[in-house]
Amino acid sequence: MSEMCRRDPRREWIARNRLHPEHASALAALGNIGGGGAASEWLGPSGVLRRNPHGVGFIGPNGVKRIDRSGAQQGGSAPGHGRQAVQQDRRRHVEISDPAFLVAVVPDLTGGRLSGHDKDLLGLARRLADDDPERPGAVLAVVFGEHKEERLGEAGIDRVLHLGAETYAGFAPEARLAALTAVERELAPRHWLLPDSPLGGADLGRRLAQRLGERPVTGVWQIEADVEAPLGWRCTARGAAERLDIRRPLPRVALALAECAEPVDETRHAAEPLSLGAAVPIALSRIEDLGQVAVDPAGVALAEAEFILSAGNGVKDWEGFHHAARVLGATEGASRVAVDDGFMARDRQVGASGTWVTARVYLAVGISGAIQHLQGIQGCDRVVAINLDPGCDMIKRADLAVIGDAAEILAALVAKVEQQRGGQRDAA
Amino acid sequence: MRPEQQGIEMAVLVSVGRHPITGRARRADQDARGLELALCLEGRLPGSRIGLLHAGPRSEESEAALRGYLGMAADAGTGLNTLTLLEQPEGSDAIPALADHLSAAMPQLVITGTRAELGEGSGLLPYALAERLGWPLVNGLAAVEKVENGVATLLQALPRGQRRRLQVRLPAIICVDAAAPAARQSAFGPARRGELEATPGAAELDHELAGWQVAPARKRPKRLKIIRAASARDRFKAAAAKAEGGSGQVLEGVSSEQGAEAIFTLLHEEGVLRS
Ligand SMILES: Cc1cc2nc3c(=O)[nH]c(=O)nc-3n(C[C@H](O)[C@H](O)[C@H](O)COP(=O)(O)OP(=O)(O)OC[C@H]3O[C@@H](n4cnc5c(N)ncnc54)[C@H](O)[C@@H]3O)c2cc1C
C-alpha cells in the first residue's frame, strides 16, 4: 500500500503558488512525502521518459527557485530549507561591552510600550552612539514605572535602567527629575535625548535641562555631523510655532520630534539591566497626583478615543451594545453598515469614509473587516474581534479573536466587569 | 466671608503673537487662554487681583497686540486696566527681567502659555522661571477647580481627551495650552483706554541665540516606507500584503464566558478598564 502515491491537488497547487500564505508549509509537506526531493525524471508505464519540471533545481537562499544547468547541482532540491532561511531573523547582534560614552534616552512608554516616537528617538540615539565605529557609545534607556515592552533590545537599547518604584507612577515630575539627576551624577551621559511630546518628554526634558543648567534644543528634527561643534553635531530644530528652522550646534540635552531618525531595524542590542549605585534621594513633592478623572467617553472625539467599542452588522441587540459601552467605559464606534442602517450616528463611523481612529484598544463586534474599515483602524495598537465567522478579514487583523455570538459574549463580558467591580467595592 | 475664601494674587505672562496666515502681530492664542483662565478664577474668588506682565521692546506693533489683552477684561467688571511692560532692547533675554519682577511682586499663581509664537518658541521660559524661583510647575492645564488654604486643585489635560486631577502647593506656575477654554473676544474701546506701565527691565542680550542660523521652516521630508527585502519576491509580498499579522490568538469553540474572560484579561492588561 505504501507504494501508492496519493496526491493532494490542492496542496500541490498551493506549493506552485509562491504567494499563497500557506506556500511554505505545503512545500515542506510535499517534500517530506517525496523523502527529501521528488524525482525529476522517471520512465513512464509505456516506456516514455517523464519529467517533473518542478523537481528540477533548488530553492535559493531568498526562497526563489534556482535551476543550475551547469550540471554541478543535480536534482536534490531541498524544499522547505530555503523557506526557513527567509523566516530566520536577520538582525545582527551587537554587544557593546566597554562603551566610550553613554547616550541617555528617556522614552515615554505610553501605555507601557515604546511608541513610534520613542523608536525614532532611539534611532537618533544610535546615530549619535555609533558615529565612530572605533569607539562606540552605548544607548542607555531610563525607564520609569512598569512596562510591557519585551523588545527593548530590538529598538537599539544597550543598557536599561529600570526605576519601577511607586513614586514614579502618574504625574511625578519631581521624583523623576531627582532620579535623572542621580543618573547624571553617577553615569554622566554625553547626550540626553527625550521625545518632545506634550506631557511626556517635553515636560521632563525641559525640567532636566534647567536642573543641569544646560540650554536644551527643542523640536529637533534633523542632525548632521559637524566637527566644529562642541559635541561634534549640528541640529535643525523648529521654532516660533513651527514657522522657523533654527540651525545650531547640538547641546547636551535635546528634545526631538517624531520622525527625527529612522528606527533601528538591522541590529539587536543587549538591553542589559543596570542599576544605580547610590539610592535616589527622595524629592520633596509639592505636586500631588489625585489620579485620572472619569470623563464621559461618549463626549470624547472618536479620533482621539483610547478605547473604542465598535459595532457592525453583526450586532442585533443594540440596547445591550450601548449598555456594554457604558459599563466598559468605551467610546462607541460603528461600521458603515451600522451607520447606514440608522443604528448609529454618522460621526461614529470608523473607516475610510469615516474617522481614522488611533485607539489603543479597538474592540470590533460583528464587523467583517472590509478594507475600507480596516484602513480606518491602521493606527490602533490592539484589536479584539468578536465574530461568528472565523474566516473573515477582521480576525486576521485582530490580536485576539473570539468566535461566537456577539450578544452573548458582550453580556458575559459586562457581567464579568460588573462582578469584578462589585468585588472590589466589597473589599474596600 | 471665611478667610480662606479670600482672593489670590495672580500674574499672567503675556507675549506678542503672530497670526498664522496674515503674519500680523496679535495677542498670542495660548497667553489669551491663560488670561481667560485668570479672569474666570477672579470671578469665582472675589478679591483676587490679576497682574498682566510682558517683557520686551516697545513698538507700535507690539503695543497694539498687548492692548488686545487689556480689551479682554472690559466686561469682567474688574479693575484690570494696566499692563506692566518691562522694557528691554530687542534681542534681550526675558527670563532675568521676569524673574526679578516676580520675586519682588510674589504672586501666588503665575499663568503662562506653553510656547511663544515668535522667536525661539522653545517653551523653556516657564521652566526657567520655576527653577529660578523654586516654585512647582504644572503644564497642559485644562482648568483650575479650586484654590483653598494655599493649595490649588487643577485639572491637567491628557492626550485622548482624558483629564488628571492634581494638587499643587502655591505659589506655583501653571502653563496652559490649547486644551484650556478658548479666550473671549477683545473689546476695542477698553483696549485703547488701557494703560501700559513701562519700567526698564534687565537688559541681558541673548548672545547664543544671535549666533544661530534662523530660516523660514522647510517642509520636512515625508518618510518613505522602506522595505528591506533581499529579493523581488519579498518586495512584492510586502507591497501586496493586505492584512498583516496573523499572529493573533483565535479562540474558537469556547463558551461565551471563556471568550469574555480572555477579552477581559486583555482589557485589564492594557489598563483601559477603570474601576
Ligand atoms: C467607497 C466606500 C467607502 C466605504 N467606507 C467605509 C467606511 O469608512 N467604514 C466602514 O465601516 N465601511 C465602509 N465601507 C463599507 C465596507 O465595504 C463594508 O461594507 C462594511 O464595512 C461592512 O460592515 P460590517 O462589517 O459591519 O458588515 P458585514 O460585512 O455584514 O459584516 C458583519 C459581520 O458580523 C458577523 N456576525 C453576524 N452576526 C453575528 C453575531 N450574532 N455575532 C457575532 N458576529 C456576527 C458576520 O460574521 C460578519 O463578519 C465603504 C464602502 C465603499 C464602497
Side-chain angles (χ1 to χ4, degrees), chain B residues 19-173:
Chain B
H19 193 278
I21 294 164
T22 62
R24 251 184 287 176
R26 59 160 192 181
R27 42 182 188 144
D29 177 61
Q30 293 178 345
D31 297 345
R33 285 173 193 258
L35 180 56
E36 174 71 36
L37 197 77
L39 288 171
C40 290
L41 205 58
E42 189 195 29
R44 280 193 284 144
L45 296 171
S48 297
R49 273 178 32 96
I50 301 176
L52 273 177
L53 195 56
H54 173 76
R58 184 173 193 162
S59 70
E60 213 165 291
E61 214 186 6
S62 68
E63 192 173 322
L66 292 173
R67 282 183 183 282
Y69 295 106
L70 288 170
M72 283 171 65
D75 56 13
T78 60
L80 178 64
N81 56 6
T82 52
L83 181 146
T84 311
L85 175 68
L86 305 174
E87 218 172 324
Q88 291 179 311
E90 187 81 50
S92 310
D93 191 353
I95 295 166
L98 289 173
D100 288 350
H101 183 92
L102 288 177
S103 57
M106 279 304 281
Q108 283 166 291
L109 205 55
V110 178
I111 304 177
T112 78
T114 299
R115 277 172 195 224
E117 295 176 7
L118 289 173
E120 191 187 352
S122 62
L124 280 170
L125 183 132
Y127 292 89
L129 290 179
E131 191 69 25
R132 280 195 186 212
L133 300 169
W135 294 353
L137 179 147
V138 175
N139 68 333
L141 202 85
V144 176
E145 286 194 323
K146 60 175 190 246
V147 181
E148 257 177 20
N149 299 331
V151 175
T153 310
L154 315 168
L155 279 188
Q156 190 182 37
L158 298 181
R160 308 188 172 280
Q162 304 294 315
R163 298 278 185 269
R164 177 155 61 192
R165 189 169 287 134
L166 301 172
Q167 254 179 7
V168 165
R169 193 107 29 91
L170 299 181
I173 301 182

Side-chain angles (χ1 to χ4, degrees), chain A residues 311-316 334-338 349-355 365-374 386-390 392 404-407:
Chain A
N313 200 14
V315 172
K316 302 285 165 349
S335 79
R336 179 154 176 182
V337 174
Q349 179 180 329
V350 174
S353 46
T355 311
V365 185
I367 298 180
S368 60
I371 186 71
Q372 293 91 355
H373 192 87
L374 288 184
I386 302 179
N387 205 308
L388 273 181
D389 173 13
C392 70
D405 181 57

